[in-house]
Amino acid sequence: MLVAAAVCPCPPLLVPEVAAGAAPELDGVRAACLDAVAVLAASRPARLVVVGPGGPGEPELFPQGSPGSFRGFGVDLDVRLGRGGTAAGTGGKALPASLAVAAWLLERTEWAVAPVEGVAVGDALESGRCLELGRELAAGDERIALLAMGDGSACRTLKAPGYLDERAEPFDAGTARALGAADTAALAALDAGLARELQAAGRASWQVLAGAGEGAGLRGQLLADEAPYGVGYHVAAWS
């Protein structure tokens, strides 16, 4: 049973040590993310599931305590997904960047409300499979909170990673409306092919959320909707 959800972008630049001198540019998004995680904590879930972009293939599971690192971005900073667990207990499998950012957010909020587990989903995962996964995660009577990590389109400006695409802004606007309204039907209807063309890495995560949120009766609030680097960053909270 899904009792709360939060949606956050997952650029490593969200971590101030990675952003360095550019850190203030994301202060607003960063603060909104922390507020969204606070909504999850207030729901007092029995378990928190973090979903974020990962590699190709089937969804990959990461237990509590899974290690992550930002060393690949030139920063001597390590994180763990939730408290407890050991590297040996996780098989030494490192978190993908999206879940490492989530782990950093949870550490910043000193998350200790409930156990945490991670699920990485690839951008090629079909919409139907994403929805099915979300339903599986929320099945049963256990109180579940979900943190969905993912960026919007990367084609909002000429200097964006994917260059300018006129379809990007309306895609992001529609996504922001759906996330802010907790509109699971609209999220389920996102065009996976278009999302891939626009390099919207959050599509699969949002559709997992849509599956989990079906019939939950949650209300949404859009906390941030920005595109500072030509990439759409949405922050929302459902409760």
Side-chain angles (χ1 to χ4, degrees):
M1 176 176 62
L2 187 71
V3 296
V7 176
C8 295
C10 56
L13 288 174
L14 202 62
V15 179
E17 292 89 339
V18 176
E25 297 175 15
L26 288 180
D27 277 350
V29 173
R30 197 175 290 116
C33 289
L34 297 176
D35 288 343
V37 173
V39 171
L40 298 180
S43 73
R44 310 303 294 183
R47 180 163 53 101
L48 172 63
V49 181
V50 182
V51 182
E58 282 297 297
E60 192 172 11
L61 304 181
F62 293 84
Q64 176 157 298
S66 294
S69 173
F70 295 97
R71 295 175 188 272
F73 301 96
V75 175
D76 186 13
L77 177 63
D78 298 320
V79 292
R80 286 197 180 280
L81 187 64
R83 298 185 176 185
T86 64
T90 64
K93 186 168 57 175
L95 298 169
S98 65
L99 298 188
V101 173
W104 173 83
L105 281 173
L106 295 174
E107 288 186 1
R108 280 289 289 263
T109 61
E110 299 183 344
W111 179 272
V113 177
V116 184
E117 62 186 48
V119 183
V121 289
D123 67 357
L125 196 66
E126 295 180 354
S127 296
R129 180 69 183 95
C130 292
L131 295 169
E132 179 185 7
L133 174 60
R135 295 175 189 128
E136 292 170 355
L137 291 173
D141 295 329
E142 186 182 26
R143 293 172 60 84
I144 301 297
L146 195 148
L147 173 55
M149 306 295 293
D151 302 342
S153 72
C155 303
R156 292 281 291 272
T157 66
L158 293 173
K159 294 184 178 180
Y163 196 67
L164 177 65
D165 190 314
E166 294 180 354
R167 301 172 297 173
E169 188 168 352
F171 176 89
D172 283 342
T175 300
R177 283 194 299 271
L179 293 172
D183 189 339
T184 58
L187 293 173
L190 289 175
D191 186 326
L194 176 60
R196 197 172 303 116
E197 291 174 11
L198 296 176
Q199 300 181 28
R203 188 275 309 172
S205 298
W206 302 329
Q207 290 188 321
V208 172
L209 170 59
E214 288 176 353
L218 301 182
R219 301 181 65 179
Q221 181 181 9
L222 189 66
L223 303 179
D225 178 19
E226 301 182 16
Y229 306 114
V231 181
Y233 295 153
H234 311 305
V235 184
W238 295 10
S239 61

